[in-house]
Amino acid sequence: MDVLINVFVALHIIGIASLLGGFLTQMKAMGPGTARFTPAMLHGALTMLVTGVALVGLNQADDQTVNNVKIGIKLALLVVILALVYVKRDEEKVDKGPFIAVGALTTVNIFIATVWT
């Protein structure tokens, strides 16, 4: 079971790397106002959602304790991120507000995952 959990953790990290990487590559375009949500950002957020839910289930099946408050907050942040990216995915330009919100919420999600013990 540990190997399966570690595989899903790796996939979860790949998802967050895709989401944050997409944001960071578009930051330069934010200045002239041409930043957009890339498909990699949407796919990364979806990967995080699927692997995160799987990780909760696998950890509970393995009789490990799961901090439901922490997971709930992370899920709520991810749902907001997914909603923003999904709704604005086809637009050629995204306003700075939603774009910065996605980057900030992603960063907060990373800090919650790593700092909250």
Side-chain angles (χ1 to χ4, degrees):
M1 187 72 98
D2 288 337
V3 172
L4 188 59
I5 290 172
N6 288 334
V7 166
F8 276 95
V9 167
L11 291 172
H12 195 68
I13 292 170
I14 290 169
I16 204 156
S18 179
L19 177 60
L20 189 61
F23 171 78
L24 292 174
T25 58
Q26 290 292 307
M27 277 186 65
K28 186 174 183 181
M30 191 172 57
T34 59
R36 61 184 308 254
F37 292 131
T38 64
M41 294 172 75
L42 176 62
H43 297 158
L46 288 171
T47 300
M48 287 175 57
L49 178 64
V50 171
T51 58
V53 169
L55 280 168
V56 170
L58 287 172
N59 281 314
Q60 288 180 341
D62 199 26
D63 290 329
Q64 296 181 22
T65 58
V66 176
N67 187 339
N68 290 321
V69 174
K70 175 181 174 179
I71 298 302
I73 291 171
K74 287 178 55 59
L75 179 62
L77 292 175
L78 185 56
V79 167
V80 171
I81 292 167
L82 256 172
L84 286 170
V85 173
Y86 186 78
V87 168
K88 304 275 189 182
R89 73 188 184 282
D90 291 330
E91 294 184 12
E92 288 297 320
K93 299 179 202 176
V94 177
D95 293 332
K96 288 182 181 180
F99 188 76
I100 290 172
V102 166
L105 291 174
T106 302
T107 305
V108 168
N109 215 345
I110 292 169
F111 276 101
I112 290 172
T114 56
V115 175
W116 188 341
T117 54

Coordinates of all heavy atoms in Angstrom, one line a residue, residues 23-58:
F23 N 1.4 29.0 -14.2 CA 1.3 30.3 -13.7 C 2.6 31.1 -13.8 O 2.6 32.2 -14.3 CB 0.8 30.3 -12.2 CG 0.8 31.6 -11.6 CD1 -0.2 32.5 -11.8 CD2 1.9 32.0 -10.7 CE1 -0.1 33.8 -11.2 CE2 1.9 33.2 -10.1 CZ 0.9 34.1 -10.3
L24 N 3.7 30.5 -13.4 CA 5.0 31.2 -13.5 C 5.4 31.5 -14.9 O 6.0 32.6 -15.1 CB 6.0 30.4 -12.8 CG 5.8 30.2 -11.3 CD1 6.9 29.2 -10.7 CD2 5.9 31.5 -10.5
T25 N 5.1 30.7 -15.9 CA 5.5 31.0 -17.2 C 4.6 32.1 -17.8 O 5.1 32.8 -18.8 CB 5.4 29.7 -18.2 OG1 4.0 29.3 -18.1 CG2 6.3 28.7 -17.7
Q26 N 3.4 32.3 -17.3 CA 2.6 33.4 -17.8 C 2.7 34.7 -17.1 O 2.1 35.7 -17.5 CB 1.1 32.9 -17.7 CG 0.7 31.9 -18.7 CD 0.8 32.4 -20.1 OE1 0.2 33.4 -20.5 NE2 1.5 31.7 -21.0
M27 N 3.5 34.7 -16.0 CA 3.7 35.9 -15.2 C 4.3 37.1 -16.1 O 3.9 38.2 -15.9 CB 4.6 35.7 -14.0 CG 3.8 35.1 -12.9 SD 4.7 35.0 -11.3 CE 5.1 36.7 -11.0
K28 N 5.2 36.8 -16.9 CA 5.8 37.8 -17.8 C 4.7 38.5 -18.7 O 4.8 39.7 -18.9 CB 6.9 37.2 -18.6 CG 7.7 38.3 -19.4 CD 8.9 37.6 -20.1 CE 9.7 38.7 -20.8 NZ 10.8 38.1 -21.5
A29 N 3.8 37.7 -19.1 CA 2.7 38.2 -20.0 C 1.7 39.0 -19.2 O 0.8 39.7 -19.8 CB 2.0 37.0 -20.7
M30 N 1.7 38.9 -17.9 CA 0.8 39.6 -17.1 C 1.0 41.1 -17.2 O 0.0 41.9 -17.1 CB 0.9 39.2 -15.6 CG -0.2 39.7 -14.7 SD -0.2 38.9 -13.1 CE 1.4 39.3 -12.5
G31 N 2.3 41.6 -17.3 CA 2.6 43.0 -17.4 C 1.8 43.7 -18.6 O 1.1 44.6 -18.3
P32 N 2.0 43.2 -19.8 CA 1.2 43.8 -20.9 C -0.3 43.4 -20.9 O -1.0 43.8 -21.8 CB 2.0 43.3 -22.1 CG 2.8 42.2 -21.7 CD 3.0 42.3 -20.3
G33 N -0.7 42.5 -20.0 CA -2.1 42.1 -20.0 C -2.5 41.0 -20.9 O -3.6 40.9 -21.3
T34 N -1.5 40.2 -21.3 CA -1.8 39.1 -22.3 C -1.7 37.7 -21.6 O -1.7 36.7 -22.3 CB -0.9 39.2 -23.5 OG1 0.5 39.1 -23.0 CG2 -1.1 40.5 -24.3
A35 N -1.7 37.7 -20.3 CA -1.6 36.4 -19.6 C -2.9 35.6 -19.8 O -4.0 36.2 -20.0 CB -1.4 36.6 -18.1
R36 N -2.7 34.3 -19.9 CA -3.9 33.4 -20.0 C -3.7 32.2 -19.2 O -2.6 31.8 -18.8 CB -4.1 33.1 -21.5 CG -3.0 32.4 -22.2 CD -3.2 32.2 -23.7 NE -4.5 31.6 -23.9 CZ -4.7 30.3 -24.3 NH1 -3.6 29.5 -24.5 NH2 -5.9 29.8 -24.5
F37 N -4.8 31.4 -19.0 CA -4.7 30.1 -18.3 C -4.4 29.1 -19.4 O -5.1 28.9 -20.3 CB -6.0 29.8 -17.6 CG -6.2 30.7 -16.4 CD1 -7.5 31.3 -16.2 CD2 -5.2 30.9 -15.5 CE1 -7.7 32.1 -15.1 CE2 -5.5 31.7 -14.4 CZ -6.7 32.3 -14.2
T38 N -3.3 28.4 -19.2 CA -2.9 27.4 -20.2 C -3.5 26.1 -19.9 O -4.0 25.8 -18.8 CB -1.3 27.2 -20.2 OG1 -1.0 26.7 -18.9 CG2 -0.6 28.5 -20.4
P39 N -3.6 25.2 -20.9 CA -4.2 23.8 -20.7 C -3.4 23.1 -19.6 O -4.0 22.3 -18.8 CB -4.0 23.1 -22.0 CG -4.1 24.3 -23.0 CD -3.4 25.4 -22.4
A40 N -2.1 23.3 -19.5 CA -1.3 22.7 -18.4 C -1.8 23.0 -17.0 O -1.8 22.2 -16.1 CB 0.1 23.0 -18.6
M41 N -2.3 24.2 -16.9 CA -2.8 24.7 -15.6 C -4.1 23.9 -15.2 O -4.3 23.5 -14.1 CB -3.0 26.2 -15.6 CG -1.7 27.0 -15.7 SD -2.0 28.7 -15.9 CE -2.4 29.2 -14.2
L42 N -5.0 23.8 -16.2 CA -6.2 23.1 -16.0 C -6.0 21.6 -15.7 O -6.5 21.0 -14.8 CB -7.2 23.2 -17.2 CG -8.5 22.4 -17.1 CD1 -9.3 22.9 -16.0 CD2 -9.2 22.6 -18.4
H43 N -5.1 21.0 -16.5 CA -4.8 19.6 -16.3 C -4.1 19.4 -15.0 O -4.3 18.3 -14.3 CB -3.9 19.1 -17.5 CG -4.7 19.1 -18.8 ND1 -4.0 19.2 -20.0 CD2 -6.0 19.2 -19.1 CE1 -4.9 19.2 -21.0 NE2 -6.1 19.3 -20.4
G44 N -3.2 20.3 -14.6 CA -2.5 20.2 -13.3 C -3.5 20.2 -12.1 O -3.4 19.4 -11.2
A45 N -4.5 21.2 -12.2 CA -5.5 21.3 -11.2 C -6.4 20.0 -11.1 O -6.7 19.5 -10.0 CB -6.3 22.5 -11.4
L46 N -6.8 19.5 -12.2 CA -7.6 18.3 -12.3 C -6.8 17.1 -11.7 O -7.3 16.3 -11.0 CB -8.0 18.0 -13.7 CG -9.1 18.9 -14.2 CD1 -9.4 18.7 -15.7 CD2 -10.4 18.7 -13.4
T47 N -5.5 17.0 -12.1 CA -4.6 16.0 -11.5 C -4.5 16.1 -10.0 O -4.6 15.0 -9.3 CB -3.2 16.0 -12.2 OG1 -3.4 15.9 -13.6 CG2 -2.3 15.0 -11.6
M48 N -4.4 17.3 -9.5 CA -4.3 17.5 -8.1 C -5.6 17.0 -7.4 O -5.6 16.4 -6.4 CB -4.1 18.9 -7.7 CG -2.7 19.4 -8.0 SD -2.6 21.2 -7.7 CE -3.1 21.3 -6.0
L49 N -6.8 17.3 -8.0 CA -8.0 16.9 -7.4 C -8.2 15.4 -7.4 O -8.5 14.8 -6.3 CB -9.2 17.5 -8.2 CG -10.6 17.2 -7.8 CD1 -10.9 17.7 -6.4 CD2 -11.6 17.7 -8.7
V50 N -7.9 14.7 -8.5 CA -8.1 13.3 -8.6 C -7.1 12.6 -7.6 O -7.5 11.7 -6.9 CB -8.0 12.8 -10.0 CG1 -7.9 11.3 -10.1 CG2 -9.1 13.3 -10.9
T51 N -5.9 13.0 -7.7 CA -4.9 12.3 -6.9 C -5.0 12.6 -5.4 O -4.8 11.8 -4.5 CB -3.4 12.6 -7.3 OG1 -3.2 14.1 -7.3 CG2 -3.2 12.1 -8.7
G52 N -5.5 13.8 -5.1 CA -5.7 14.2 -3.7 C -6.9 13.4 -3.1 O -6.8 12.9 -2.0
V53 N -8.0 13.2 -3.8 CA -9.1 12.4 -3.3 C -8.6 11.0 -3.2 O -8.9 10.3 -2.2 CB -10.3 12.5 -4.3 CG1 -11.3 11.5 -4.0 CG2 -10.9 13.9 -4.2
A54 N -7.8 10.5 -4.1 CA -7.3 9.1 -4.0 C -6.4 8.9 -2.8 O -6.4 7.9 -2.1 CB -6.6 8.7 -5.3
L55 N -5.6 10.0 -2.6 CA -4.7 9.9 -1.4 C -5.4 9.8 -0.1 O -5.0 9.1 0.8 CB -3.7 11.1 -1.4 CG -2.5 11.0 -2.4 CD1 -1.8 12.3 -2.5 CD2 -1.6 9.9 -1.9
V56 N -6.5 10.6 0.0 CA -7.3 10.6 1.2 C -7.9 9.2 1.4 O -7.8 8.6 2.5 CB -8.4 11.6 1.2 CG1 -9.4 11.4 2.4 CG2 -7.8 13.0 1.3
G57 N -8.4 8.6 0.4 CA -9.0 7.3 0.4 C -8.0 6.2 0.8 O -8.2 5.3 1.6
L58 N -6.8 6.3 0.1 CA -5.8 5.3 0.4 C -5.2 5.4 1.8 O -5.0 4.4 2.4 CB -4.6 5.5 -0.6 CG -4.9 5.0 -2.1 CD1 -3.8 5.5 -3.0 CD2 -5.1 3.5 -2.2

